[in-house]
Amino acid sequence: MGGNMRSSKKSGGFQAMGLSYPVLKGILKRGYKIPTPIQRKTIPLALEGRDVVAMARTGSGKTACFLVPLFEKLKTRQAKTGVRALILSPTRELALQTLKFIKEMGKFTELKAAVILGGDSMDNQFSIMHGNPDIIVATPGRLLHICVEMDLKLNNVEYVVFDEADRLFEMGFGEQIHEIANRLPETRKTLLFSATLPKILVEFAKAGLTDPVLVRLDVESKLPEELTLSFITCRAEEKLAVLLCLLKNIIKSDASTVVFAATMHHVEYIHQILDKAGISNTFIYSNLDASARKINTAKFQNGKARVLVVTDVAARGIDIPHLDYVINFHFPAKCKLFVHRVGRCARAGRTGTAFNIVSADEYPYLLDLHLFLGRPIQIVPPSGGSNANGEIGKLPLSMVEEELVELINWHNGSTDLVNMEQVCNNAYQQYIRSRPGASSESVKRIKELQINEAGVISGYSNIQSDVTDLLARMKNYRPQGTIFEIGVNASSADYQVMKEKRSFHKENILNFKRKREELCNKLKSNANESSSVKSTLPSSTTDEINETFSQVVMPKKRKIEDLYKKSKKKRQIKDDEFYIPYCAPDKHTEDGLAVNTFATEAEKAQMDLTADSEDSRRLQTQLKKWDRKKKKMVTINNDPKAGKIRTESGVWIPATYKSNRYAQWKEKSKIDAVNDDDSDEEPQHLQKLRTEPHTHWARHNKKLKEKVKAKSEIKRPEQILKARMELEKRRNRNARGKKKGQKKGGRRR
């Protein structure tokens, strides 16, 4: 009975994953009870021994995703083997956080973990490596430095984790990662975690991982139902005025708002304008100092600033749980980037609004987004809208004009703002060059939609005054006469030509106007009909259906017994131990016929972030990518190799990585003497660490030591062979000398 009770109990937790007792005890002791969705998908794959590329946000429990399989694979401490697991992190803080998790969760496995970080003492790190830790948590730059100095091969590494891999490549660690990967054995298991999936990361995964699985939760590919979208059209010069209108008149003063801008210069410019307007705000961009970024983020999270102005690159690592509004000051060029931005609000059942300020050059991207989301384009008619979600319209003109006048006054009184505006204009031109283009179909179709003629969004129409209405009518007014007819006599030739031309095309013009009016009326009537149908047709209840229909045909639910019987009939007896298939299990993959391969899955999930400064844009062009012909990672543009050395794998790394500090440390700490006394117990990977002296004085001292040692009377085979070869050379030389002497003597005679 007890056994039946156990079997009926749900087993969706960590207990059902078949983990060993020390690992499971550490997980439960840490306080984990139910695995998160990313853990439920990733951990079983990693335990099977598959290479995994997982897309996971910060705070989704990804640390446990790679630590649980790591502990299960390494089992217990092995002092003589050396490093068996490697975790690469982009920053010091993340590496130290991971080490803390390892010590807490792996308490009962007795595995030894160590951290190798830039800025710490190298002498201490040499002694750490001699202590043979099982797990190393490191930043790529310092780890490679240690590997080059100590000539570490990392042959015993079984498990590698690239944590926040997109940030590793963003920070320019491409060369170091590739060199570290070359030093690792091919039989290793690799886990790669990332919030986004840029192209360079996909190329690296294809080259460095064996048949990887892409784990991607489709949470970020769809917009939450609680999110309200609003698209506000305006001229490029009016964007700042529209932003001030939103923050002053529409968004509540106690609400938290994130504003996304294209470049770091726009972030600083918007920050200065908001300070002038008296709106409490703070800002973050990639070039900002780490401590300043931390302080500014804390200001916003603690509620001291109501607006946070950011770029895409800077906002990638920030988790803001209670965000009310998102404003896209510059409309994102990629649909996935739009979802990534606006998905930061309306989380966990909360409501949120995303305002999008769109200018004329961004209209094609707006159409691309609607096609991606599968939503109809709802342009507000000039008369007014129906207050629907996702409408494309304008703000009241009086409101925008008021803020525009104030902005002009601020700029007239401040040279700093004028200079900053000019810098932003130049930066925007650079941004447009690097911005990916919209689809050609969207560029063609956007001309037919006439977004410029959109009316005021219904939610803000009550703010519109009579003056605004008059201005809007004036803007839409089209005069009958052309420029050739204004201020010209009726008897002039120009006037007569234009009059004849108009009379000739009169019918075509009238037909065009009539068709346009009919189309507008048809669209309005369809909208009214659909709204009336929705409002007048309530849904029927199950009781009413049962009363009306005596028999209701429903889809059959299969019983477990029936499924078992069918599967039993189809089951074939096959002995896996002796069965030899006709073709390899991955034949369809090799032939390029696989449907759900990593390449196809990764292409769907791929998303590159545009750089927010000129330096980072230049760095992006210098990043490594996989060359199919050369079969190695190469730089996109050939940067100069000054101050770099080439490794065995062909990668150029900084020459400072080989500074001979390890030899000096060994001499200082007398590690060689200890190794000689304890040679039997020395691990295999440390026996390879003995290096030859590279400097002049080191070689000189070595020779002196060798002279002091007593010469052995018994010669080695190599020494005997060398002596014989030298003797043979001497004999040949003497023989040639004798022949020359004889020839000279013969001539004299």
Side-chain angles (χ1 to χ4, degrees):
M1 189 174 174
N4 292 335
M5 285 291 285
R6 280 177 199 155
S7 61
S8 64
K9 189 182 177 181
K10 285 187 179 180
S11 57
F14 289 102
Q15 291 89 341
M17 291 181 179
L19 303 171
S20 59
Y21 178 70
V23 178
L24 189 60
K25 190 179 176 185
I27 291 166
L28 298 174
K29 196 83 173 173
R30 180 70 179 77
Y32 290 121
K33 291 178 182 177
I34 301 164
T36 61
I38 192 75
Q39 289 168 0
R40 201 174 285 115
K41 286 191 175 186
T42 309
I43 292 172
L45 286 167
L47 290 171
E48 283 176 23
R50 297 291 301 273
D51 284 4
V52 178
V53 176
M55 290 181 72
R57 289 187 203 164
T58 309
S60 58
K62 61 181 173 56
T63 312
C65 284
F66 58 79
L67 287 186
V68 171
L70 186 149
F71 294 145
E72 196 61 37
K73 189 166 182 68
L74 302 189
K75 300 287 185 190
T76 53
R77 169 104 175 106
Q78 291 182 16
K80 294 183 182 180
T81 314
V83 181
R84 291 186 292 149
L86 188 62
I87 301 168
L88 292 178
S89 299
T91 58
R92 290 175 59 90
E93 294 77 19
L94 192 60
L96 292 168
Q97 185 183 315
T98 307
L99 183 72
K100 186 184 173 186
F101 263 90
I102 291 168
K103 286 182 177 176
E104 288 173 357
M105 284 180 67
K107 190 191 292 183
F108 305 103
T109 57
E110 296 179 357
L111 292 165
K112 187 179 178 182
V115 69
I116 303 289
L117 303 173
D120 292 353
S121 167
M122 285 195 77
D123 290 356
N124 291 346
Q125 288 170 356
F126 292 143
S127 58
I128 284 168
M129 295 306 292
H130 274 263
N132 303 330
D134 297 290
I135 306 162
I136 288 284
V137 186
T139 49
R142 178 51 66 90
L143 178 69
L144 183 58
H145 196 166
I146 292 288
C147 287
V148 173
E149 287 282 0
M150 299 180 73
D151 196 25
L152 280 174
K153 300 297 179 188
L154 303 172
N155 289 333
N156 296 316
V157 173
E158 304 170 20
Y159 198 91
V160 186
V161 179
F162 295 95
D163 197 6
E164 299 282 1
D166 50 351
R167 288 189 71 190
L168 286 170
F169 281 94
E170 273 171 25
M171 294 168 76
F173 286 128
E175 291 175 348
Q176 288 91 331
I177 291 165
H178 180 57
E179 178 57 25
I180 290 165
N182 282 332
R183 289 169 178 264
L184 298 170
E186 290 183 4
T187 54
R188 69 182 187 272
K189 296 300 166 199
T190 311
L191 266 70
L192 196 143
F193 287 84
S194 174
T196 61
L197 204 63
K199 188 177 182 181
I200 190 164
L201 203 60
V202 176
E203 297 291 339
F204 173 74
K206 284 180 188 175
L209 279 65
T210 54
D211 191 22
V213 181
L214 181 65
V215 176
R216 179 173 173 244
L217 302 180
D218 283 328
V219 179
E220 289 192 353
S221 64
K222 295 171 187 174
L223 295 177
E225 291 177 5
E226 294 82 11
L227 181 69
T228 307
L229 292 178
S230 182
F231 300 96
I232 301 161
T233 61
C234 67
R235 290 180 297 152
E237 308 85 55
E238 295 174 346
K239 277 198 169 190
L240 268 174
V242 171
L243 177 67
L244 289 173
C245 289
L246 290 172
L247 292 171
K248 281 183 177 180
N249 304 322
I250 294 161
I251 294 171
K252 295 173 186 176
S253 58
D254 59 342
S256 56
T257 309
V258 170
V259 179
F260 283 94
T263 69
M264 58 174 277
H265 304 292
H266 284 92
V267 169
E268 288 182 340
Y269 183 44
I270 293 166
H271 166 64
Q272 288 180 18
I273 294 292
L274 293 181
D275 280 348
K276 278 268 188 187
I279 297 167
S280 62
N281 70 96
T282 185
F283 62 98
I284 299 171
Y285 51 83
S286 63
N287 286 20
L288 200 66
D289 185 62
S291 56
R293 286 175 72 171
K294 197 174 181 180
I295 291 163
N296 288 1
T297 310
K299 270 187 195 175
F300 182 68
Q301 286 173 338
N302 296 334
K304 289 181 181 177
R306 58 173 280 217
V307 179
L308 177 67
V309 191
V310 294
T311 58
D312 288 310
V313 180
R316 217 202 58 67
I318 304 166
D319 185 41
I320 306 154
H322 305 297
L323 186 63
D324 301 308
Y325 296 93
V326 167
I327 300 175
N328 286 317
F329 186 78
H330 292 111
F331 197 77
K334 293 173 186 171
C335 306
K336 284 170 189 168
L337 187 55
F338 177 87
V339 175
H340 189 68
R341 281 185 187 181
V342 302
R344 292 179 175 276
C345 68
R347 284 188 184 181
R350 287 170 59 88
T351 56
T353 308
F355 294 104
N356 306 279
I357 307 170
V358 192
S359 58
D361 65 318
E362 295 166 332
Y363 289 163
Y365 299 104
L366 181 63
L367 185 55
D368 277 345
L369 175 71
H370 280 77
L371 290 168
F372 174 77
L373 295 174
R375 293 188 176 198
I377 288 184
Q378 297 175 322
I379 301 170
V380 178
S383 58
S386 59
N387 201 15
N389 185 13
E391 277 188 328
I392 302 168
K394 295 176 182 174
L395 287 184
L397 200 60
S398 60
M399 196 198 297
V400 178
E401 290 290 342
E402 189 182 333
E403 297 300 336
L404 207 55
V405 169
E406 198 170 10
L407 281 167
I408 291 164
N409 291 335
W410 288 343
H411 281 76
N412 290 338
S414 172
T415 53
D416 288 344
L417 283 178
V418 174
N419 293 337
M420 200 68 210
E421 186 181 24
Q422 187 59 45
V423 169
C424 283
N425 291 337
N426 296 338
Y428 192 68
Q429 294 303 317
Q430 289 287 345
Y431 165 72
I432 287 170
R433 286 178 196 171
S434 63
R435 181 175 66 177
S439 63
S440 56
E441 286 297 320
S442 294
V443 174
K444 287 177 188 174
R445 279 191 60 202
I446 208 69
K447 294 171 186 174
E448 301 167 10
L449 292 173
Q450 297 170 343
I451 293 176
N452 285 326
E453 295 180 13
V456 177
I457 298 169
S458 57
Y460 320 128
S461 57
N462 54 353
I463 309 166
Q464 191 171 15
S465 63
D466 296 332
V467 178
T468 314
D469 196 27
L470 177 66
L471 288 168
R473 286 206 304 272
M474 283 173 65
K475 198 173 181 182
N476 292 328
Y477 173 70
R478 295 286 179 272
Q480 289 292 325
T482 61
I483 196 167
F484 299 104
E485 298 165 80
I486 296 168
V488 182
N489 293 329
S491 59
S492 67
D494 294 344
Y495 185 82
Q496 293 295 330
V497 168
M498 288 307 300
K499 193 174 181 181
E500 286 175 16
K501 192 74 176 167
R502 187 178 286 104
S503 63
F504 181 74
H505 293 292
K506 191 175 182 181
E507 284 186 28
N508 292 335
I509 293 165
L510 289 170
N511 287 334
F512 174 75
K513 285 181 178 177
R514 192 173 64 253
K515 282 179 183 177
R516 195 171 171 185
E517 283 177 11
E518 284 174 6
L519 185 65
C520 288
N521 293 330
K522 193 177 180 182
L523 288 169
K524 280 181 186 176
S525 62
N526 287 341
N528 293 331
E529 281 174 20
S530 62
S531 62
S532 63
V533 167
K534 282 177 187 175
S535 58
T536 56
L537 293 178
S539 59
S540 57
T541 60
T542 50
D543 295 332
E544 288 171 353
I545 291 167
N546 291 329
E547 283 175 16
T548 311
F549 302 102
S550 58
Q551 187 181 357
V552 181
V553 179
M554 298 286 283
K556 290 181 181 179
K557 290 182 180 179
R558 292 182 180 178
K559 293 180 180 179
I560 296 166
E561 292 83 7
D562 297 340
L563 288 169
Y564 179 74
K565 284 173 187 175
K566 285 184 180 180
S567 62
K568 202 170 184 182
K569 285 177 186 176
K570 290 180 181 179
R571 194 177 292 165
Q572 293 177 354
I573 298 164
K574 184 176 79 174
D575 194 342
D576 292 327
E577 192 177 347
F578 300 106
Y579 177 74
I580 302 170
Y582 289 106
C583 57
D586 60 342
K587 183 182 181 295
H588 57 285
T589 311
E590 292 293 324
D591 294 344
L593 302 172
V595 179
N596 296 323
T597 58
F598 172 74
T600 53
E601 293 287 324
E603 276 176 19
K604 292 173 190 173
Q606 191 174 304
M607 186 182 78
D608 290 286
L609 293 177
T610 313
D612 64 347
S613 67
E614 186 61 28
D615 294 336
S616 52
R617 197 168 73 85
R618 201 178 293 114
L619 182 67
Q620 273 189 351
T621 59
Q622 289 174 355
L623 290 175
K624 294 269 179 182
K625 75 170 188 180
W626 183 252
D627 192 329
R628 290 170 67 185
K629 289 182 179 178
K630 294 181 181 178
K631 301 291 181 189
K632 66 177 183 180
M633 300 287 275
V634 295
T635 45
I636 296 165
N637 60 335
N638 295 320
D639 52 340
K641 304 291 189 301
K644 293 191 174 183
I645 55 171
R646 196 170 188 175
T647 59
E648 291 175 5
S649 59
V651 176
W652 291 84
I653 61 169
T656 52
Y657 280 15
K658 193 68 180 173
S659 59
N660 210 34
R661 289 179 66 174
Y662 178 60
Q664 293 168 13
W665 174 79
K666 277 209 303 183
E667 198 168 323
K668 187 171 68 178
S669 58
K670 308 294 181 190
I671 201 75
D672 278 336
V674 174
N675 286 345
D676 289 339
D677 296 341
D678 227 359
S679 58
D680 293 338
E681 294 181 5
E682 190 177 23
Q684 292 177 2
H685 78 288
L686 288 178
Q687 289 172 8
K688 297 173 186 175
L689 294 177
R690 296 184 181 179
T691 54
E692 289 297 317
H694 292 283
T695 59
H696 168 74
W697 287 110
R699 284 192 289 268
H700 177 71
N701 292 335
K702 190 179 177 184
K703 284 177 184 176
L704 287 175
K705 285 178 184 177
E706 286 174 357
K707 282 179 183 177
V708 170
K709 288 180 183 178
K711 288 185 178 180
S712 176
E713 292 180 6
I714 301 167
K715 289 185 179 180
R716 296 196 305 277
E718 295 86 5
Q719 290 173 324
I720 296 165
L721 185 63
K722 190 177 178 181
R724 285 178 181 173
M725 287 172 75
E726 284 179 357
L727 184 63
E728 190 67 31
K729 280 180 186 176
R730 227 178 287 127
R731 283 175 180 170
N732 292 339
R733 210 179 294 123
N734 292 338
R736 282 198 296 271
K738 283 179 183 178
K739 283 179 182 178
K740 283 180 183 178
Q742 287 172 4
K743 283 179 183 178
K744 285 177 183 178
R747 284 172 191 167
R748 283 171 189 169
R749 287 172 194 167

